[in-house]
Amino acid sequence: MEQVFSYIIGLGAAVMMPIIFTILGVCIGIKFGDALKAGLKVGVGFVGLSIVTALLTSALGPALNTVVEIYDLQLKVFDMGWPAAAAVAYNTAVGAFIIPVCLAVNLLMLVTKTTRTVNIDLWNYWHFAFIGAVIFFVSESLAWGFFGAIICYIITLVLADITAKKFQGYYKDMDGISIPQPFCAGFVPFAWTINKGLDAIPGMNKLEIDAEGMKKKFGLLGEPLFLGVVVGVIIGCLTCSSFAEIVDKIPYILGLGIKMGAVMELIPRVTVLFIEGLKPISDATRSLIARKFKGADGLNIGMSPALVIGHPTTLVVSLLLIPVTLLLAVVLPGNQFLPLASLAGMFYVFPLVLPFTKGNVIKTFIIGLVVLTLGLYLVTYLAGGFTLAAKDVFAATGDAAVAIPQGFEGGSLDFASSPLAALLYWCTIQLKWIGAGILVLLACGMMWWNRVHIIRNQKLMEQKNSTEIQSIE
């Protein structure tokens, strides 16, 4: 069983998603050729996105390492990046069975009407495996590991339902799509609370500056492309210890700026492929549900947040937060995590934040600043458990990607900086049975609340359909 699912995961998202989309498309009545084309576009989108993020990592990585050396910024939690975190998650006993277990939970919740999301984003199931693996190695109990993973999955599905309408209303061409990724979902309570608090400040609720507004107000200075170049040049200058060295390294500095600008410009273009591939599948799914399942029009397909990370506000805020987060990591007392390899994952903080802030750059920046400040401490908090899991996987597989340098602990911005991951870890490891009871009550309460709203919406839909039929007659 472990070998089967390790093989499937080993295919990667770029191969898995075309296969899943083609099978799904044929099952819901799309012609094989059209379903295959849709799936291939999604797969190509993942390839394009991985190339662009690799460009960001390869350009920024050496530059930031030089900055760390010059200013002696080394902290004891080594940033392994999300690919290493995913490798650790899937190469454990929890990760080996996470796909069938979570799919079974998803099916049960659909049958009991406690969710309306069909989560086909199988690659990102590594998030559930990650927290399960960390709990497993710290508690030395596989049962506790699966308990944490399943609770995380349930909470994430409900949050995906809660945010689906806002998500679909804010982003274009996302009808019938929800985001059941726990890294994004974990920031939703903060987005809602902080946004409400900011609206209560006189004048703040009238300060509407989105990415398009920045372009109109600041012209070239408000363009993500130009901001990328500027930030890249600034980081390039920081790699120099004197003005004379800056002069000598002008080609390198300008090249780094152009590469950062390229990332900001290419990500939105790549994400268009996701939308083109997704649209025929989502349209056919809604049509099928409307025909076959009376009152079930609210069913959503759970997809990766990669669909929308090309939004201008996400790009601008992520770019501005890169140097700010590095500074915070150094000056915050008690923090031991310096994000370097994880910086590409910063884009994924905001897909479910923007629907609450309506793309307001200032509000989104403030929320990002709060959650990333908290996130640095949470990565430090989870580093011990993550290190245990990583060392076990390295001993079993010899995978250099999960090797932790001598004298360091391991960490990653995604998913270890999520409040949801920290909550699950704290409840299961620190509070044990009391914490388990709290988590069960939380999960059951969220499912009950979701079921009430699902049934209410179905009844309203049935009444609406009945009224329309009577009016026609």
Side-chain angles (χ1 to χ4, degrees):
M1 196 71 167
E2 182 177 354
Q3 290 177 350
V4 170
F5 286 103
S6 293
Y7 176 78
I8 293 173
I9 295 303
L11 295 174
V15 176
M16 286 172 59
M17 296 313 293
I19 295 172
I20 293 170
F21 266 61
T22 302
I23 295 172
L24 178 62
V26 171
C27 290
I28 60 179
I30 299 177
K31 293 180 180 179
F32 175 79
D34 293 337
L36 179 61
K37 183 179 178 181
L40 288 175
K41 282 189 175 182
V42 173
V44 170
F46 274 107
V47 172
L49 191 58
S50 65
I51 291 172
V52 175
T53 53
L55 172 62
L56 175 65
T57 304
S58 63
L60 269 185
L64 293 175
N65 285 330
T66 302
V67 174
V68 168
E69 292 175 5
I70 291 175
Y71 298 99
D72 192 25
L73 304 179
Q74 196 66 266
L75 300 175
K76 77 171 189 177
V77 178
F78 178 73
D79 186 1
M80 302 178 68
W82 73 262
V88 169
Y90 276 135
N91 282 285
T92 63
V94 177
F97 294 93
I98 199 67
I99 291 179
V101 168
C102 285
L103 287 176
V105 172
N106 198 166
L107 179 61
L108 181 62
M109 291 180 68
L110 287 168
V111 170
T112 57
K113 296 184 179 181
T114 51
T115 188
R116 302 307 302 156
T117 292
V118 181
N119 187 3
I120 66 169
D121 184 22
L122 299 185
W123 170 248
N124 276 319
Y125 276 37
W126 76 261
H127 291 86
F128 310 111
F130 173 84
I131 190 59
V134 171
I135 293 171
F136 164 45
F137 281 100
V138 175
S139 67
E140 298 182 348
S141 168
L142 188 59
W144 276 110
F146 273 111
F147 172 79
I150 290 170
I151 292 293
C152 184
Y153 192 75
I154 292 170
I155 292 173
T156 301
L157 283 180
V158 176
L159 287 173
D161 288 342
I162 292 172
T163 57
K165 188 171 290 186
K166 268 189 171 293
F167 176 82
Q168 295 163 13
Y170 180 73
Y171 294 103
K172 295 179 181 178
D173 301 317
M174 288 293 139
D175 291 342
I177 304 300
S178 63
I179 304 296
Q181 196 227 44
F183 183 58
C184 293
F187 301 115
V188 167
F190 289 85
W192 182 84
T193 304
I194 297 173
N195 187 66
K196 285 286 186 183
L198 292 174
D199 282 341
I201 299 174
M204 180 62 77
N205 59 345
K206 297 179 181 178
L207 194 61
E208 298 179 0
I209 303 179
D210 58 10
E212 292 301 318
M214 284 186 63
K215 292 178 185 179
K216 294 177 182 177
K217 189 175 183 63
F218 301 107
L220 180 62
L221 295 174
E223 291 277 355
L225 168 60
F226 183 76
L227 286 173
V229 173
V230 171
V231 172
V233 168
I234 292 173
I235 293 174
C237 290
L238 290 174
T239 64
C240 305
S241 56
S242 66
F243 180 77
E245 189 177 353
I246 291 177
V247 174
D248 291 339
K249 293 177 66 174
I250 283 178
Y252 168 76
I253 293 170
L254 294 178
L256 182 60
I258 293 298
K259 288 178 182 177
M260 288 289 288
V263 171
M264 296 301 107
E265 185 69 17
L266 290 174
I267 286 180
R269 297 177 185 269
V270 169
T271 54
V272 169
L273 289 168
F274 288 119
I275 297 172
E276 290 179 357
L278 189 64
K279 189 167 177 53
I281 299 292
S282 61
D283 288 346
T285 301
R286 290 199 311 278
S287 177
L288 176 67
I289 292 169
R291 293 196 314 269
K292 300 290 186 180
F293 302 99
K294 185 178 180 182
D297 299 72
L299 197 66
N300 296 305
I301 298 175
M303 281 294 296
S304 168
L307 296 174
V308 294
I309 65 166
H311 192 281
T313 298
T314 293
L315 296 177
V316 168
V317 173
S318 298
L319 188 65
L320 294 175
L321 280 170
I322 286 176
V324 173
T325 304
L326 292 174
L327 177 63
L328 286 172
V330 175
V331 302
L332 286 174
N335 172 62
Q336 293 297 323
F337 177 65
L338 182 66
L340 297 174
S342 289
L343 290 175
M346 196 176 294
F347 298 110
Y348 294 90
V349 171
F350 301 105
L352 293 181
V353 172
L354 264 59
F356 290 91
T357 64
K358 297 180 180 177
N360 187 301
V361 172
I362 296 176
K363 288 182 178 179
T364 305
F365 180 85
I366 293 172
I367 293 171
L369 185 63
V370 172
V371 299
L372 287 171
T373 300
L374 175 63
L376 293 173
Y377 285 110
L378 296 182
V379 176
T380 302
Y381 173 61
L382 289 172
F386 181 64
T387 302
L388 285 176
K391 287 184 175 180
D392 183 87
V393 170
F394 179 73
T397 65
D399 186 355
V402 301
I404 300 174
Q406 188 70 26
F408 288 85
E409 291 184 314
S412 174
L413 200 65
D414 179 7
F415 161 59
S417 66
S418 171
L420 180 55
L423 173 66
L424 292 163
Y425 182 85
W426 180 67
C427 284
T428 53
I429 301 302
Q430 303 295 331
L431 301 183
K432 298 190 180 298
W433 290 107
I434 295 175
I438 293 171
L439 291 175
V440 168
L441 288 174
L442 175 63
C444 290
M446 292 179 70
M447 286 192 293
W448 174 81
W449 182 91
N450 206 28
R451 174 180 164 81
V452 169
H453 281 76
I454 288 170
I455 293 174
R456 182 186 301 165
N457 290 336
Q458 287 184 344
K459 288 181 178 179
L460 291 173
M461 185 67 67
E462 290 172 0
Q463 292 173 0
K464 180 181 177 181
N465 293 338
S466 176
T467 302
E468 289 177 353
I469 292 172
Q470 290 176 1
S471 64
I472 292 173
E473 292 175 348

